[in-house]
Amino acid sequence: MTTTNRALNRLLLAFSGLLLLLAGSSATLVASVPAALQLWRSGAAFAIVETETLLSAIPVAATGDSWAGVAVVALMAALIGALVAFTVRQGRGRTRTLVNTPQTDQGRTRIDAAFAEQALEQSLAGQSDFLGLHTSTYRVNGASMLKVSVVARRGTAPRDVIDAVHQSVRGLDRVLGTEIPVLLHIGGGFRSRLAGPTHIRRTTA
Amino acid sequence: MKTAPATPAMTPAARDRRVLRRETHSSRSGLAITVALLIIVVCLIVGTEMVLQLLGRAPLLFSPTDAARTAAAPASDLRRVMVPLGIGVALVGLLLLLAAVLPGRRTRHGLSTDRLAVVVDDEVIASALARSAAIAAGVAPDAVRVTVGRRSAQVRLTPTSGIRVDEARVTEAAVSALERVGPRPSIRPRLLVAPTGRVGS
C-alpha cells in the first residue's frame, strides 16, 4: 500500500539489465571473435581521436584541462543525487491521520490513525487463533486506509479470521460514524510454524 | 515518485482492486535499491578519479584516460578474462531484465468481502486445507502435505495402514474449504493418496 513507484523500479531494472546484457555479450564477442576485435579496435581508436580533438578545441581557461572532465563529474553528481532520491522514496505512504474533514461552520474533525489502530487491536486482542496482530494506516488515493496484519495459527480457516476482523471493523464503523477502507493481510510465517496447531479447540456450531 | 493518479472519484471497488494487485505482486524494491546503490558506488569511484585527474593528483585505483585506452585496445591477457567475465555480466543483466519484465507474483491470493479487501498468504490457505483434509480422511494432521499454487492445490495424503481413505469425501472437504476462503483466482484441489499407508498415522 506504499506509494513506491513500481513502474520506475521496473524501468531501472530493465535499463540496467539491458545495459549489462549488451556490455557483457559484446565484451565476450570482442574477446573471442577476431573480426569483432578488429572492428572494436578501429572504432574505439577513432572515437578516442575524435574526442581528443573535440576536447582540445575547448579547454577550460585556467588549467588547460578539458571541460569533459568537469562534465563527467557533474553528470556523476547528478546521477548520484537522482538515485539517492529514488532509494529514499521507496516504501513511503504511511500516515498518522485517519480522518480530516474540511472546515465547516461547526468546526472541523480530525481523528488520529492511532485511535482506530488501537481500537482494532484491543477489540481483536482476545482471539486465540491470532499469534500476531499489527495495524497501520496508509494514504491510498487521497484517503486513509487501515491495514490489519494477522499472523494466523497453523490450520486456522482464513474465513474465521476474516469474520472476526469484519466484526471488529463494523464496530469501529459505528464508533467513527464513517467507513474507513480496510485491508486485511493474513500471514503465516515463522511464528506460525513455531507455535504449531491447536490440539484442543472450542467447537463452534 | 509520482503520487498515484489522484482521482478522488475512484470507486471503492477500483481502489480495492488496485490495492490487492499491489499486495499480490512484488514491488521489486529490494532489487531496485541494490542496483541503485551499486550504480551510486560506481559513480562515486569514477567521479573521484575524475576529480583527482583534473587536479593533477595520482589516481587511487585507475586513471580514467588510461582505462579508456586499455579498453580501446584490449591486450591478449585481458581478452582471456573478458570471455568468462562478459558471460557473467550478460547473465546478471538477463536476470535483471527478467525481474523487470516478469509479473513478479507473490505467493498470496486476494479476495474482497463487502467491507474488507483481504490478502491471504498461500501458506495459510495450505495449512487450513490440510486441516480440513486430515479431518475428512480421519488421519493425523502430519499425514497431509499441501502445496498451493496460483490456480491449483496439491493435497498429498498418507493413509493409515489398513484403513481405506474415502477419496470423494476428502476431495469434497477440500473443495468446500477452498470455497469458504473464496480466493481470486479460485484454487482447484488435486488429491494424491500415497499407495502405501503408514502405521499409526
Side-chain angles (χ1 to χ4, degrees):
Chain A
M1 284 211 284
T2 57
T3 54
T4 302
N5 187 343
R6 298 184 165 202
L8 209 60
N9 281 2
R10 279 190 188 230
L11 204 69
L12 178 75
L13 293 181
F15 182 71
S16 48
L18 209 61
L19 211 65
L20 289 182
L21 190 61
L22 284 178
S25 42
S26 47
T28 311
L29 213 63
V30 163
S32 53
V33 181
L37 179 63
Q38 213 50 52
L39 201 68
W40 168 258
R41 270 203 180 127
S42 55
F46 177 73
I48 285 184
V49 170
E50 280 297 298
T51 23
E52 270 175 351
T53 48
L54 183 73
L55 296 182
S56 56
I58 333 163
V60 170
T63 57
D65 272 324
S66 72
W67 53 273
V70 182
V72 168
V73 172
L75 185 75
M76 295 291 131
L79 203 56
I80 289 173
L83 285 171
V84 167
F86 167 82
T87 306
V88 168
R89 289 205 188 167
Q90 304 273 337
R92 284 199 180 169
R94 289 190 58 171
T95 178
R96 298 173 71 170
T97 311
L98 190 72
V99 174
N100 200 357
T101 63
Q103 183 82 38
T104 65
D105 293 344
Q106 270 79 43
R108 61 188 303 177
T109 310
R110 238 201 74 154
I111 303 174
D112 275 357
F115 169 74
E117 292 173 9
Q118 285 167 17
L120 280 179
E121 281 183 16
Q122 276 180 26
S123 135
L124 290 167
Q127 296 287 331
S128 60
D129 282 342
F130 292 12
L131 293 172
L133 177 65
H134 180 77
T135 52
S136 46
T137 311
Y138 291 84
R139 203 79 190 148
V140 176
N141 227 138
S144 294
M145 185 164 187
L146 280 162
K147 179 177 183 180
V148 180
S149 301
V150 172
V151 179
R153 191 179 289 280
R154 250 169 61 196
T156 308
R159 184 52 63 175
D160 294 346
V161 178
I162 294 170
D163 288 345
V165 173
H166 188 271
Q167 204 180 352
S168 290
V169 168
R170 282 296 183 204
L172 182 69
D173 291 346
R174 276 196 297 278
V175 172
L176 291 177
T178 175
E179 288 192 2
I180 306 293
V182 178
L183 172 77
L184 165 63
H185 171 228
I186 309 173
F190 184 65
R191 275 176 82 183
S192 161
R193 274 195 288 277
L194 208 65
T198 39
H199 293 289
I200 302 162
R201 33 174 52 229
R202 189 166 42 98
T203 44
T204 43
Chain B
M1 301 232 157
K2 73 176 178 211
T3 46
T7 44
M10 197 184 215
T11 63
R15 180 203 58 223
D16 283 4
R17 263 202 308 280
R18 184 180 134 83
V19 166
L20 286 181
R21 207 206 114 78
R22 285 174 75 94
E23 288 290 317
T24 49
H25 292 74
S26 165
S27 67
R28 301 165 181 80
S29 278
L31 202 55
I33 289 172
T34 311
V35 168
L37 289 181
L38 287 177
I39 299 176
I40 288 174
V41 168
V42 170
C43 284
L44 280 175
I45 292 173
V46 173
T48 309
E49 296 293 3
M50 210 66 217
V51 169
L52 288 176
Q53 182 172 327
L54 288 176
L55 294 175
R57 301 272 196 86
L60 291 176
L61 297 171
F62 61 88
S63 133
T65 39
D66 286 354
R69 273 177 221 290
T70 313
S76 65
D77 51 343
L78 177 61
R79 288 207 300 275
R80 262 198 295 283
V81 285
M82 263 166 74
V83 175
L85 213 65
I87 293 174
V89 167
L91 275 181
V92 171
L94 189 66
L95 288 181
L96 287 181
L97 201 59
L98 283 179
V101 173
L102 294 179
R105 281 195 200 97
R106 303 174 74 174
T107 51
R108 290 174 167 183
H109 277 76
L111 59 115
S112 286
T113 72
D114 59 336
R115 181 67 184 86
L116 307 170
V118 185
V119 272
V120 189
D121 286 6
D122 285 352
E123 189 189 328
V124 174
I125 299 177
S127 68
L129 195 54
R131 195 183 146 78
S132 308
I135 291 173
V139 297
D142 289 343
V144 185
R145 288 270 170 279
V146 179
T147 39
V148 171
R150 208 166 104 78
R151 291 177 181 280
S152 67
Q154 276 200 353
V155 181
R156 262 181 270 259
L157 201 149
T158 311
T160 309
S161 292
I163 300 171
R164 229 187 143 68
V165 169
D166 185 349
E167 294 197 18
R169 213 173 94 106
V170 176
T171 305
E172 193 188 320
V175 167
S176 80
L178 284 169
E179 265 171 9
R180 245 190 111 217
V181 181
R184 297 274 137 236
S186 61
I187 303 171
R188 204 167 17 80
R190 256 215 344 263
L191 179 64
L192 299 166
V193 178
T196 51
R198 210 164 54 195
V199 176
S201 77

